[in-house]
Amino acid sequence: MEERFNMIQLIRGFKDILPDETQTWRHIEDTAIALFQSFGFKEIRLPIVEKTELFQRSIGEHTDIVEKEMYTFAGSKGELITLRPEATASVVRSYIQQKLYAKEPIQKLYTIGPMFRRERPQKGRYRQFYQINAEVFGIESPYIDAQLIFMLWTVFMRLEITGLSVQLNSLGCPACRPSFKEALASHLASKTGSLCSDCVRRQDKNPLRVLDCKVPSCQEVIDDAPSMVDYLCDDCARHFNAVQSGLASQGIPFELNPRLVRGLDYYTRTAFEIQTDALGAQNAIAGGGRYDMLVKMLGGPEQPAIGFAIGLDRLVALVMQGLAQKELTPDIFIAALGEKVREKTFEWSCALGQEGIRTEIDFSDKSLKALMKRANRIGAANVLIVGTQEIEEGAVLLRNMQTKEQVTIPIEGMVNHIKKHLT
Ligand code: AMP
């Protein structure tokens, strides 16, 4: 009896991105990159593992990501290393370590790649997911906040996505945040009995995180909580107003959301999120904010910064809901009949592919009927029919699969003839 082997399956929370989808991924990436480049961004590529300390120090010890979601393991010398849960910390590390600021403090950088978080997997939430990040260093002006959000919004407009909203908040700065934290902490202290167990814990260590708790029993406490915008110092208030004017002048519809704190500690001032009404619970498709203290906190010079991350997996899901996939079907299917024509047809398939003509060929021995069936199944636009007789006569048949028209193509200079025929 034939031996059957066990199938090895992928790990929960991870996924394969199949050929049906990859066209959409590339389309989104190309759209975003083209736009980012128009706004002066350059690509940076970084490792996906970093020292654990980098994330502890930047994202914050008392955040969900650092407390329970990181893939951390020992490196070769026993030091702790982590699969990156987000990209900003690595971009900042590189900006400092490679002294990018010394050449030019203003840097606009983007990067695309996988992130890893050990979250509870569900629709729209994976343990390996992909982000497109854009980060700007060295600019404090609120105009850059507005421009960055404008650029992000334009990506979504170019992808023809509707049903979006921009949620906006300011998280203040080290001058004004402590008084807000205090007011919040005393509000929470008076309501401890109504908080979920996670929030009771957060209440002391990181009270801001209570504001984005989704547990229903916490909602009432959150609803009456003080808002950061009421505690902003003059500089932060001026900055926040200017961001809003900039967005309004560009016609970006935004909503002030005093509960938007984002899950990472490094944000200061502007925080934003793009939400969709089409994906259910996992409704954030991009988020970001200003992080003016982070470069210094990670050992660099004092440089303001702001950035965002687009969640590619969710964006792909949105785009695929709206668009029928444009399939990459072959321009030419070579139906090679018999072993004797194999050498010639092999050569032609290489030459046609090299010319950028999408070519498919079957190297096995099949009947014309079987080959035509396959050409139909894979949506080939034309079939080149090649038998021994055709080779002897110096001409082959090109059949248009839609109109069923057939033309004779001389073998001499065939690639050029086909190219002309396809245009
Ligand atoms: P964050 O880095 O948490 O600010 O997230 C930025 C964006 O990445 C979110 O708006 C989501 O679209 C996406 N994202 C974050 N976590 C996940 C996840 N586990 N699975 C899929 N997408 C995610």
Side-chain angles (χ1 to χ4, degrees), residues 86 117 119 124-127 129 131 262 264 267 284-287 309-311 313-314:
E86 58 109 44
R117 293 183 197 169
E119 295 191 84
R125 201 202 273 159
Y126 310 98
R127 291 181 162 181
F129 59 98
Q131 288 186 339
R262 321 260 310 115
L264 307 94
Y267 288 117
I285 51 168
I310 299 176
D313 309 69
R314 293 182 195 169

Side-chain angles (χ1 to χ4, degrees), residues 126-354:
Y126 310 98
R127 291 181 162 181
Q128 175 176 339
F129 59 98
Y130 294 78
Q131 288 186 339
I132 307 182
N133 278 77
E135 317 284 346
V136 178
F137 294 92
I139 306 180
E140 204 197 344
S141 165
Y143 279 112
I144 198 71
D145 303 44
Q147 192 172 60
L148 204 67
I149 297 171
F150 172 75
M151 182 174 90
L152 178 60
W153 183 258
T154 308
V155 172
F156 296 129
M157 293 306 102
R158 290 210 174 155
L159 294 169
E160 297 176 22
I161 293 173
T162 54
L164 295 180
S165 73
V166 179
Q167 305 286 309
L168 190 69
N169 195 15
S170 174
L171 299 175
C173 69
C176 52
R177 204 185 311 181
S179 57
F180 168 65
K181 259 188 167 168
E182 228 170 83
L184 181 62
S186 80
H187 171 76
L188 298 176
S190 67
K191 310 267 172 151
T192 306
S194 319
L195 294 174
C196 71
S197 56
D198 271 345
C199 284
V200 171
R201 208 168 34 82
R202 288 175 186 138
Q203 186 184 347
D204 297 324
K205 291 180 176 164
N206 196 351
L208 254 68
R209 295 283 293 121
V210 174
L211 293 177
D212 67 357
C213 179
K214 302 286 182 288
V215 175
S217 63
C218 292
Q219 295 315 304
E220 229 170 89
V221 182
I222 296 168
D223 283 346
D224 317 327
S227 294
M228 181 66 228
V229 285
D230 297 328
Y231 289 79
L232 294 178
C233 60
D234 288 350
D235 282 349
C236 285
R238 230 176 293 128
H239 196 275
F240 193 40
N241 283 335
V243 175
Q244 294 176 56
S245 309
L247 291 177
S249 80
Q250 293 309 307
I252 308 289
F254 63 89
E255 288 166 29
L256 295 184
N257 179 351
R259 306 297 169 235
L260 183 75
V261 289
R262 321 260 310 115
L264 307 94
D265 276 358
Y266 53 61
Y267 288 117
T268 49
R269 293 191 167 170
T270 316
F272 55 94
E273 205 161 271
I274 312 282
Q275 296 178 354
T276 164
D277 58 15
L279 286 182
Q282 302 307 317
N283 65 350
I285 51 168
R290 195 164 260 292
Y291 49 94
D292 289 342
M293 306 299 144
L294 188 58
V295 179
K296 190 161 178 218
M297 259 171 56
L298 291 177
E302 211 161 298
Q303 285 293 348
I306 179 167
F308 64 70
I310 299 176
L312 256 175
D313 309 69
R314 293 182 195 169
L315 185 52
V316 168
L318 267 188
V319 171
M320 288 187 73
Q321 274 178 15
L323 288 180
Q325 272 265 99
K326 207 175 127 244
E327 281 218 40
L328 273 188
T329 47
D331 300 316
I332 299 262
F333 179 86
I334 304 179
L337 299 165
E339 207 42 50
K340 289 207 181 96
V341 304
R342 194 81 65 222
E343 203 178 316
K344 263 269 158 290
T345 51
F346 161 72
E347 262 172 44
W348 293 339
S349 67
C350 294
L352 288 167
Q354 196 174 37

